Amino acid sequence: MSASRSLVIAPSLLAADFARLGEEVAAIERAGADWLHLDIMDGHFVPNISFGPAVVKALRPHSKLFFDVHLMISPVDLYIQPFADAGADLIALHVEAGPHLHRSLQLIKSLGKQAGVVLNPATPPESIAHVLDLIDLVLVMTVNPGFGGQKFIAGQLPKIAQLRQMIDQSGHGIRLEIDGGITPATAGAVVAAGADTLVAGTAVFAAADYAAAISDIRKAAR
Ligand code: DX5
Ligand code: ZN
């Protein structure tokens, strides 16, 4: 990774203890997390339901962390404003989440938020070629979305490398985030392929020591 791009570790709240969300967010902030990744699942776009804007809003005053909100919702447009109002710093949506990706991204930017696009394992890198001027982040799924604790799909590594090239050629300062199955065993390969931002759910929140878990991922990424 070049010196200009610092590594961001974004623990996913999906793997936290939902009965103690406020404490979990405080603990992960103390443990050295850079961002908080918030997985929003609608039971339609993905076969699971997590939590909505009211939970994001309730957590917002308790944390200074950058809120990286991953919307797994379709159709998504109706929910962009509620998550912006709830305190998201970045809102990422899937290429398949609505009929007009460009328009949805324009809406996120018009609300003063950073915008991200998410690629499912089967979604090609070319699908974002004409929105690079509108986005702050590309998120590559290295599992099929819907659940934490799944196995990392190594077949996504060439796609990560291809997106790194597209981003560098675009000249836009777009972050390249990876989500799914990130552990100290997989972090090195994704960063070598060009990633600069790593989501980790189970690998952090299932650990007894959150700070050690984050630091193990950081070390593996070097
Ligand atoms: C899956 C979510 C992920 C999930 C990752 O749909 O987008 O953010 O929490 O969990 P792990 O790190 O356990 O694979
Ligand atoms: Zn996610």
Side-chain angles (χ1 to χ4, degrees):
M1 186 163 34
S2 81
S4 59
R5 278 183 294 125
S6 57
L7 180 72
V8 164
I9 308 285
S12 167
L13 197 64
L14 189 67
D17 178 352
F18 278 19
R20 301 169 41 251
L21 282 181
E23 292 163 48
E24 291 277 67
V25 170
I28 215 68
E29 190 162 355
R30 279 196 307 271
D34 301 300
W35 290 6
L36 183 69
H37 185 80
L38 298 127
D39 285 304
I40 313 298
M41 303 180 175
D42 69 349
H44 167 76
F45 183 69
V46 290
N48 197 4
I49 299 175
S50 57
F51 51 86
V55 172
V56 177
K57 188 178 178 190
L59 291 172
R60 185 65 284 184
H62 297 281
S63 176
K64 290 194 173 58
L65 289 171
F66 184 93
F67 276 16
D68 170 31
V69 176
H70 174 191
L71 299 183
M72 286 161 272
I73 303 178
S74 168
V76 71
D77 285 358
L78 197 59
Y79 298 96
I80 291 173
Q81 172 104 47
F83 283 98
D85 292 345
D89 293 296
L90 182 147
I91 297 175
L93 41 81
H94 283 250
V95 170
E96 298 85 358
H100 302 289
L101 176 63
H102 190 280
R103 178 179 284 147
S104 302
L105 293 169
Q106 282 180 316
L107 174 58
I108 297 172
K109 299 302 286 187
S110 77
L111 297 169
K113 304 299 180 178
Q114 293 193 28
V117 179
V118 190
L119 307 186
N120 278 328
T123 308
E126 292 77 16
S127 59
I128 60 155
H130 300 287
V131 296
L132 289 168
D133 58 325
L134 270 176
I135 60 178
D136 301 282
L137 174 140
V138 176
L139 170 48
V140 176
M141 294 304 303
T142 42
V143 297
N144 283 294
F147 303 94
Q150 302 182 81
K151 190 176 180 293
F152 177 80
I153 302 171
Q156 295 297 303
L157 289 168
K159 185 159 98 184
I160 296 168
Q162 197 179 330
L163 284 161
R164 168 50 55 205
Q165 274 195 339
M166 285 172 68
I167 289 170
D168 288 349
Q169 279 164 13
S170 79
H172 298 293
I174 299 168
R175 296 203 77 94
L176 182 49
E177 182 175 47
I178 313 303
D179 186 4
I182 295 297
T183 67
T186 55
V190 299
V191 169
D196 53 37
T197 305
L198 305 181
V199 175
T202 312
V204 174
F205 280 104
D209 181 340
Y210 296 170
I214 291 171
S215 138
D216 285 350
I217 295 171
R218 247 189 249 287
K219 276 185 223 149
R222 276 198 203 111

